[in-house]
Amino acid sequence: NQLDAVRVQGYITAQYRLFQMDLTTRKAAGRLSEVMGERTFKLDRATRRKGMVFAAENDIVGWSKSPESMALLEAYAEGVNAWIDQLKPADYPIEFKLLNYKPEHWSPFKSALVTEAMAETLCSGEDDIEATNALKYFGKETFDYLYPEWNPKQQPIIPDTGQWKDWRIVQPPPAPEAGNSIGALYKSIDGEMPEIGDLDRYLVGSNNWAVSGSKTKSGKALLANDPHLNLTLPSIWFQVQIHTPDVNTYGVSLPGTPGIVIGFNENMAWGVTNVGHDVSDYYTVKWTDATRMKYQLDNEQRDV
């Protein structure tokens, strides 16, 4: 049955990806330095400031509203722990031996941390510094043309009946002043590269396309889905087939979570894509004193 299937999925995934699963949760929880030492301290601190553990705790609150979902998460954890419990120290994956620590038991909370790690990759975009400098460099009219909220060249699923804004071609900006360059777009206001930020983020996104069966030789529809994610070793995805008397599904899973994220069965295929909107902002907190219990906002003191 389905519960047995995800138990086996957890067991087999741990067999091949246990260290990856452990490292993913440690990064999301700000616990890398426990095994990596001081080199990951800044990363752990930044992660904790983002509230990743708080987010994972809230995932569990939400998931608990569905007993069926929690049963699957718990069954998956049982499978992972069954693999861990039969390991002798001599049988630990080589990475645990090199770093001299033992695997921790899995739990639905750790699955939530894996989910939040992916959410951080896909849903934490920000390009405020670059956009501010681009606006200054190009001027508002050209900036709005180059970076529209809606690109007129893309075809919406909703029929275009003229409801979208008309965009007009604008003249190129005047020649920049001496010493100015496109490279300056990635500099902060004081001329330095921002401490927080990752140019690799610009490669994150996805695309997909579908073709009706009326246009294919086989008469069957085609779906192509290409998630643009970070290059990792091992791969982000773990290929798996789940086959029970009720379900036969093939595709890729996220190590540490049950089920199949992208895949197909006898009747349909599915994929996922991600938009690239700026959803994050950085700001400086003006503390009232060294206790950091109150901060200043709009000339008023606020409790943390």
Side-chain angles (χ1 to χ4, degrees):
N1 60 38
Q2 195 171 17
L3 286 174
D4 289 336
V6 296
R7 282 190 186 94
V8 175
Q9 183 185 8
Y11 187 90
I12 292 175
T13 305
Q15 189 175 352
Y16 289 96
R17 300 291 188 92
L18 185 59
F19 180 70
Q20 178 188 21
M21 293 161 61
D22 180 84
L23 210 64
T24 300
T25 59
R26 286 182 177 275
K27 180 178 183 294
R31 296 181 57 206
L32 283 173
S33 300
E34 293 176 13
V35 297
M36 296 289 188
E38 292 185 4
R39 73 187 71 184
T40 54
F41 177 74
K42 289 184 178 180
L43 179 60
D44 281 345
R45 186 169 61 181
T47 300
R48 294 187 182 209
R49 284 174 171 172
K50 290 177 183 178
M52 299 283 282
V53 169
F54 178 72
E57 290 170 347
N58 277 284
D59 289 337
I60 296 297
V61 173
W63 294 347
S64 296
K65 296 176 182 178
S66 169
E68 296 85 356
S69 295
M70 283 304 297
L72 291 170
L73 287 158
E74 289 166 356
Y76 184 90
E78 289 170 9
V80 175
N81 292 333
W83 170 255
I84 293 173
D85 288 342
Q86 58 83 44
L87 286 175
K88 297 177 181 177
D91 300 323
Y92 289 166
I94 185 66
E95 299 90 346
F96 290 95
K97 296 178 181 179
L98 291 172
L99 293 170
N100 194 29
Y101 77 103
K102 64 181 182 180
E104 294 180 344
H105 269 180
W106 201 255
S107 67
F109 175 69
K110 287 186 180 289
S111 292
L113 286 171
V114 171
T115 303
E116 288 303 328
M118 181 57 74
E120 183 184 26
T121 299
L122 294 174
C123 309
S124 60
E126 64 85 22
D127 51 14
D128 294 335
I129 292 174
E130 298 88 340
T132 299
N133 291 330
L135 175 63
K136 180 180 178 182
Y137 184 86
F138 291 118
K140 182 165 178 32
E141 189 175 27
T142 301
F143 179 86
D144 288 343
Y145 170 69
L146 292 173
Y147 306 104
E149 282 296 317
W150 175 259
N151 189 329
K153 292 183 179 181
Q154 66 190 27
Q155 181 62 43
I157 296 174
I158 302 170
D160 189 348
T161 58
Q163 72 268 43
W164 314 115
K165 179 181 178 182
D166 292 327
W167 297 91
R168 62 187 183 280
I169 301 297
V170 298
Q171 296 299 316
E177 298 175 4
N180 205 347
S181 70
I182 294 294
L185 300 181
Y186 293 98
K187 302 289 185 180
S188 65
I189 303 304
D190 60 7
E192 298 297 325
M193 287 294 287
E195 180 182 351
I196 302 175
D198 185 358
L199 293 182
D200 287 343
R201 179 182 64 75
Y202 293 91
L203 303 177
V204 172
S206 42
N207 56 45
N208 62 29
W209 50 265
V211 178
S212 165
S214 64
K215 298 179 182 292
T216 66
K217 184 176 181 180
S218 68
K220 297 180 179 180
L222 280 173
L223 169 67
N225 176 220
D226 178 14
H228 303 164
L229 297 169
N230 299 320
L231 185 63
T232 67
L233 185 67
S235 165
I236 287 174
W237 302 112
F238 184 69
Q239 203 168 165
V240 65
Q241 181 176 5
I242 297 177
H243 192 180
T244 74
D246 302 315
V247 172
N248 186 13
T249 309
Y250 188 100
V252 291
S253 64
L254 203 56
T257 63
I260 289 176
V261 180
I262 298 173
F264 62 91
N265 57 31
E266 295 98 330
N267 304 307
M268 60 179 289
W270 60 92
V272 290
T273 62
N274 192 59
V275 298
H277 269 56
D278 181 332
V279 296
S280 301
D281 292 296
Y282 292 106
Y283 54 89
T284 301
V285 177
K286 296 181 179 179
W287 302 106
T288 58
D289 56 46
T291 64
R292 296 192 174 191
M293 299 302 292
K294 293 180 181 292
Y295 63 95
Q296 194 83 11
L297 179 65
D298 298 332
N299 298 318
E300 294 182 8
Q301 288 189 11
R302 305 283 184 92
D303 291 331
V304 171

